[in-house]
Amino acid sequence: MADTLHLTLFDLAATEALAARAATLVRAGDAILLEGPLGAGKSAFCRAFLRAAAGDPMLEVPSPSFTLVQGYDLPSGPAHHFDLYRLSGPDELEELGWDEARDGIVLVEWPGRLGWLTPDNALRLSLAPERGAPPEQTGRRHVTLSGWDTARLRTLAAEAGRE
């Protein structure tokens, strides 16, 4: 049975470090599902993940808020970053190339819109800014990790802050 881990990320650098660690652990066919309110750090995580996976800290990683999906050719294979905020449900994913994207790595913001297309065994990150000050002021976020097998999940969280 997979664990659920709770972490505190103390600043943007900690969020980026968690993303870079995730980039070393993913395999083709993996999905990373990012949940949380606007401003919780979903896009920051995806940007850091893609830069780390590409081995290019200056990689241009635009938000897919308007294009809905951005594709990347990484050394380990293709990756797609989906932002499903503007979708009403899974019926709209076919035209975005969802099935083809699943052969590589997918990062999905607003995964609640996936419905029946939600991948089994996806890494789920639920991000929440610290109560009180917005994360852009403190950078502090709480994250819940689940979905991967216990060993991989614990490896991911090994160097991050625990609550």
Side-chain angles (χ1 to χ4, degrees):
M1 183 169 158
D3 285 339
T4 297
L5 301 177
H6 302 277
L7 310 172
T8 298
L9 303 174
F10 294 98
D11 54 21
L12 178 60
T15 301
E16 292 170 342
L18 182 67
R21 191 173 221 9
T24 67
L25 297 171
V26 296
R27 305 182 279 254
D30 277 345
I32 299 178
L33 311 180
L34 296 108
E35 301 170 327
L38 290 171
K42 297 181 297 292
S43 293
F45 180 95
C46 291
R47 187 171 297 113
F49 175 95
L50 290 162
R51 287 177 175 162
D56 181 356
M58 302 308 290
L59 179 69
E60 176 93 18
V61 182
S63 171
S65 294
F66 294 102
T67 59
L68 305 178
V69 62
Q70 291 285 339
Y72 299 88
D73 290 320
L74 303 177
S76 61
H80 291 84
H81 178 193
F82 289 84
D83 184 330
L84 306 182
Y85 183 76
R86 294 178 24 226
L87 295 188
S88 61
D91 293 328
E92 299 176 56
L93 278 167
E94 185 177 330
E95 63 191 62
L96 296 178
W98 176 255
D99 291 334
E100 296 81 15
R102 289 290 295 128
D103 290 336
I105 297 162
V106 295
L107 298 113
V108 182
E109 297 184 49
W110 306 99
R113 309 296 199 278
L114 288 170
W116 69 85
L117 294 174
T118 302
D120 293 332
N121 302 318
L123 172 62
R124 293 179 173 274
L125 281 91
S126 180
L127 295 153
E130 184 174 64
R131 290 191 179 162
E136 56 273 4
Q137 288 180 7
T138 68
R140 204 172 155 126
R141 295 171 172 87
H142 300 283
V143 62
T144 302
L145 303 169
S146 63
W148 274 357
D149 65 79
T150 300
R152 203 157 53 138
L153 200 59
R154 289 186 181 192
T155 300
L156 173 60
E159 295 182 17
R162 290 186 182 233
E163 290 184 308

